[in-house]
Amino acid sequence: MTRLLIISIITFFSASIVWSQSVNTSDQLKAAVDNLFEICKSENMDAAAKHIVYTGKDEKRHMTGLYNINDRKETSKVKRIMKKVTAFLKISDKHEFGKHNSTTENERAINSIEVLFISGNQELTTTFSFVEINGKLLLADIN
């Protein structure tokens, strides 16, 4: 009887820890998306570049560093991402968050969250994927 009670308590606490981490990750992803939306609305390219992980050809920086806005090609990439985000915001009346997912790619954790852009009766679901670098979630991809 005591053994069953101990197993039940351990199971309960383990499940609670996993659930709270999942909720925390979801809240962090929502905050990261909302923050990115505000930055894109303000058209602040410097700030946007600090929230987007580099995904270019330089293997040393790929998925580990930020875009360099002093480089013309990298500035162009940041602008394209900002325009894409702004376009989603302009075509919708509001947005809501869907499910989130965590995967691993090349030994790096990728956390994604669905964003539903709603305009009247129409919904457009897009996935925003983030990587964590130095304790900060950085946008890696928009699908």
Side-chain angles (χ1 to χ4, degrees):
M1 182 72 169
T2 304
R3 188 176 202 175
L4 180 60
L5 180 61
I6 291 171
I7 291 172
S8 297
I9 290 171
I10 291 171
T11 303
F12 172 76
F13 283 117
S14 297
S16 296
I17 290 169
V18 169
W19 182 80
S20 68
Q21 288 175 343
S22 176
V23 169
N24 191 27
T25 300
S26 179
D27 290 342
Q28 289 174 338
L29 289 168
K30 290 175 185 178
V33 170
D34 284 336
N35 189 31
L36 184 65
F37 287 175
E38 292 305 314
I39 290 168
C40 290
K41 284 183 202 176
S42 71
E43 298 179 2
N44 186 341
M45 191 172 51
D46 291 339
K50 294 176 183 172
H51 289 82
I52 304 169
V53 71
Y54 176 84
T55 56
K57 294 179 182 178
D58 184 348
E59 289 298 319
K60 292 178 185 175
R61 293 176 50 216
H62 183 75
M63 297 290 276
T64 61
L66 300 173
Y67 280 96
N68 176 4
I69 60 166
N70 295 320
D71 180 279
R72 187 177 51 88
K73 288 181 181 179
E74 292 186 29
T75 299
S76 179
K77 177 71 174 182
V78 172
K79 283 182 182 178
R80 278 195 303 270
I81 293 168
M82 289 178 68
K83 284 182 181 182
K84 187 174 187 177
V85 170
T86 304
F88 283 125
L89 294 171
K90 285 182 178 179
I91 64 168
S92 60
D93 300 324
K94 64 180 181 174
H95 69 275
E96 295 178 359
F97 294 101
K99 62 183 177 182
H100 75 274
N101 186 27
S102 295
T103 59
T104 303
E105 185 177 306
N106 296 329
E107 299 180 21
R108 179 166 298 282
I110 308 284
N111 292 296
S112 303
I113 190 162
E114 289 180 347
V115 181
L116 291 77
F117 293 96
I118 302 166
S119 180
N121 294 345
Q122 297 180 342
E123 286 185 7
L124 176 64
T125 303
T126 305
T127 303
F128 285 71
S129 299
F130 293 84
V131 295
E132 186 174 330
I133 296 177
N134 298 327
K136 183 176 179 180
L137 288 174
L138 302 176
L139 181 69
D141 195 17
I142 303 172
N143 287 341

